[in-house]
Amino acid sequence: MNVAFIGLGIMGSRMANNLLKHEGITLTVFNRSAEAMSALEKSGAKAAESARAAVADTEVVFTMLSAPEVVDEVAFGEQGFVEAMGEGALWVNCSTVNPSFTRECDQRARAQGVRFLDAPVAGTKMPAETGELTFLLGGESADVEEVQPLLDHMGQKVLHVGPAGQGSAFKMLVNALLAQSMLVYSETALLGEKLGFSRDFLMDTLPNLPVTAPFLKGKAGLIKEGDYEAQFPLELMLKDLQLLDVTAYEHKQPLFLAGLAKSVYGQANNAGHGRDDFAAVFEFLEKLG
């Protein structure tokens, strides 16, 4: 199978590398930064000069890009790749974007004879590296079945949650919980320190309580070490909270607590934590105390 992968950041580079580990896949990659392509070339990928060149003669195209504006430009801009895809080829967008934008992508792609799936992922850098992501798919069942073997190379679970747009919609819910849980945990642990408990005790104990989100076990260990290397950059969490805000507005559903969370992450971003992991909101709040 001829496959293209466009967007080789923290997540995309690792996902593409997992595809390369399996026989029968010819992988062409494109990224604005040539350095990311060079690493995958050494593992057997073909590096393309443009997104349009990457999709030539491919059956499936994966994209993992940072924001709706970037997806729009790369897919449909003056040098957009969609019109260069073959009739009936399948575009699988793994980028985290808002549902209304996703449905627009589906309509525009199908108008040019290209099938579309939205497939954002649950998981950060390490699950991407080890092939343990969860894919949240929106689209036609037949298209899901066709791409399932490729997704299995990159993830451990595929949830088909409805038509195009619903994968992105479910990702909004996942990241709403993720962002707010990290913030609540940070506030609670910092108060615990003020009440006289050691950081080591809190980081070892709070994550194991039944009221604590499971993902915080991993974050607690990193906080204890002061390690905020980006698994999921804070600036992208802020972007996702903005998309959540847009989505809530479109559906006339107030999100009071998520709005407060967006404000805090925005302040942390302005304070210089944008390229840190989103757990760095802990350090930001600590400095305010």
Side-chain angles (χ1 to χ4, degrees), residues 24-245:
I25 297 173
T26 300
L27 185 65
T28 303
V29 297
F30 174 73
N31 193 70
R32 287 178 293 183
S33 167
E35 183 179 352
M37 290 193 289
S38 297
L40 288 166
E41 265 192 296
K42 294 176 183 177
S43 298
K46 299 178 181 178
E49 295 182 356
S50 67
R52 290 176 68 91
V55 307
D57 301 318
T58 56
E59 300 157 71
V60 179
V61 175
F62 288 97
T63 48
M64 180 55 107
L65 301 165
S66 60
E69 298 80 8
V70 180
V71 175
D72 186 58
E73 176 62 28
V74 175
F76 300 110
E78 187 175 340
Q79 297 298 318
F81 68 81
V82 170
E83 66 177 13
M85 292 175 66
E87 182 79 19
L90 178 59
W91 171 23
V92 184
N93 184 31
C94 299
S95 317
T96 298
V97 295
N98 50 309
S100 56
F101 174 78
T102 295
R103 288 188 286 271
E104 181 183 334
C105 287
D106 176 58
Q107 293 169 2
R108 295 174 72 181
R110 291 183 184 278
Q112 297 191 52
V114 171
R115 293 175 294 149
F116 177 84
L117 287 174
D118 63 312
V121 300
T124 54
K125 182 170 75 172
M126 285 311 299
E129 189 167 315
T130 57
E132 296 178 312
L133 294 169
T134 296
F135 287 89
L136 312 172
L137 265 73
E140 298 290 337
S141 296
D143 296 335
V144 174
E145 291 176 14
E146 181 178 329
V147 81
Q148 176 93 41
L150 297 175
L151 300 179
D152 288 342
H153 295 330
M154 299 181 285
Q156 63 179 356
K157 189 172 185 178
V158 172
L159 291 177
H160 182 200
V161 294
Q166 289 303 95
S168 297
F170 199 75
K171 182 62 184 292
M172 294 289 99
L173 305 183
V174 170
N175 279 8
L177 290 171
L178 195 66
Q180 293 177 86
S181 296
M182 187 72 251
L183 185 53
V184 168
Y185 180 81
S186 298
E187 287 190 336
T188 302
L190 287 166
L191 175 60
E193 291 186 18
K194 293 290 181 67
L195 292 173
F197 299 104
S198 72
R199 180 164 300 183
D200 284 354
F201 171 79
L202 293 167
M203 295 300 144
D204 291 341
T205 306
L206 289 178
N208 293 302
L209 298 177
V211 296
T212 308
F215 82 91
L216 288 163
K217 291 182 181 180
K219 294 301 183 187
L222 298 176
I223 290 171
K224 191 162 68 170
E225 300 297 324
D227 179 4
Y228 296 108
E229 180 182 352
Q231 310 286 323
F232 180 6
L234 187 143
E235 63 183 3
L236 292 185
M237 178 61 84
L238 176 60
K239 178 268 296 184
D240 291 349
L241 287 170
Q242 174 61 28
L243 296 179
L244 177 70
D245 199 23

